[in-house]
Amino acid sequence: MADLKELIEECGNLIAAAKLTVAFAESATAGILAFEFSQSEHSGEILRGGLVCYDAHIKEKILGVPTTLIETYTPESAEVTREMAIRLKKMMGADVVVSVTGLTTSGGSEGPGKPVGTMFYCVLIGERTIERREVFSGSAREIVYHTIEDIVKTIIKSFKDSHEL
């Protein structure tokens, strides 16, 4: 795994250079993503905040994700993750919004097509929506950190590929 601290610094530098802010809606990562960004050099400039919505009830009651969406697709799904990002953007008004759900341990909605290690994330940057479904292996902690690394690399790539920012 690449040095996560260096990747987060690079990502934070890109967000700060563009004079943008970032916010997180975290389920499976349980606030670690926001914490990691709070340790970056530009945290005071860029970090709007984060919401840990590990339980579906929080996704519904705080973020306002419709219960029918969760019942139809499960709390750990691309559809719910996208809705979390959209609702967090309205709530926090950040320029870059990241939501993440997934299965780091058994007991969720895992099955043959969605094993433990399946992670979903959605990144909203301006008008762009980037959605990913990845399957990682390892311990719950390893799955979380693989996911965070993947999210940060996705944001960095988006900034480098974009002519708008």
Side-chain angles (χ1 to χ4, degrees):
M1 192 169 9
D3 185 3
L4 187 59
K5 182 176 174 20
E6 288 178 15
L7 286 172
I8 289 173
E9 282 300 330
E10 180 181 356
C11 189
N13 290 341
L14 290 168
I15 294 169
K19 300 192 181 321
L20 300 177
T21 57
V22 63
F24 304 96
E26 299 184 68
S27 183
T29 55
I32 296 173
L33 190 52
F35 169 77
E36 292 292 347
F37 271 82
S38 78
Q39 303 302 296
S40 71
E41 178 184 350
H42 296 288
S43 62
E45 300 166 51
I46 65 170
L47 184 58
R48 269 289 161 91
L51 174 65
V52 175
C53 43
Y54 199 82
D55 188 90
H57 180 78
I58 303 302
K59 291 174 180 80
E60 295 169 21
K61 299 301 180 197
I62 305 296
L63 277 177
V65 175
T67 303
T68 55
L69 193 68
I70 292 171
E71 289 172 350
T72 301
Y73 297 104
T74 77
E76 309 88 14
S77 64
E79 295 81 3
V80 169
T81 307
R82 180 183 323 111
E83 190 67 20
M84 287 168 54
I86 292 166
R87 300 222 175 218
L88 188 73
K89 183 166 183 66
K90 291 177 187 173
M91 179 185 286
M92 292 202 182
D95 305 298
V96 179
V97 174
V98 179
S99 62
V100 59
T101 68
L103 301 160
T104 59
T105 61
S106 60
S109 61
E110 75 272 3
K114 188 166 58 169
V116 169
T118 303
M119 300 295 287
F120 299 92
Y121 66 87
C122 181
V123 179
L124 304 179
I125 304 176
E127 299 300 314
R128 289 172 289 158
T129 302
I130 304 162
E131 297 179 85
R132 299 282 189 273
R133 176 193 187 273
E134 302 291 342
V135 179
F136 299 107
S137 60
S139 68
R141 180 178 300 273
E142 290 168 330
I143 292 166
V144 164
Y145 277 100
H146 285 302
T147 303
I148 290 171
E149 180 179 349
D150 209 59
I151 290 168
V152 172
K153 286 179 176 179
T154 297
I155 295 169
I156 291 169
K157 182 177 184 328
S158 177
F159 270 79
K160 289 183 175 180
D161 289 351
S162 174
H163 298 291
E164 300 167 26
L165 302 172

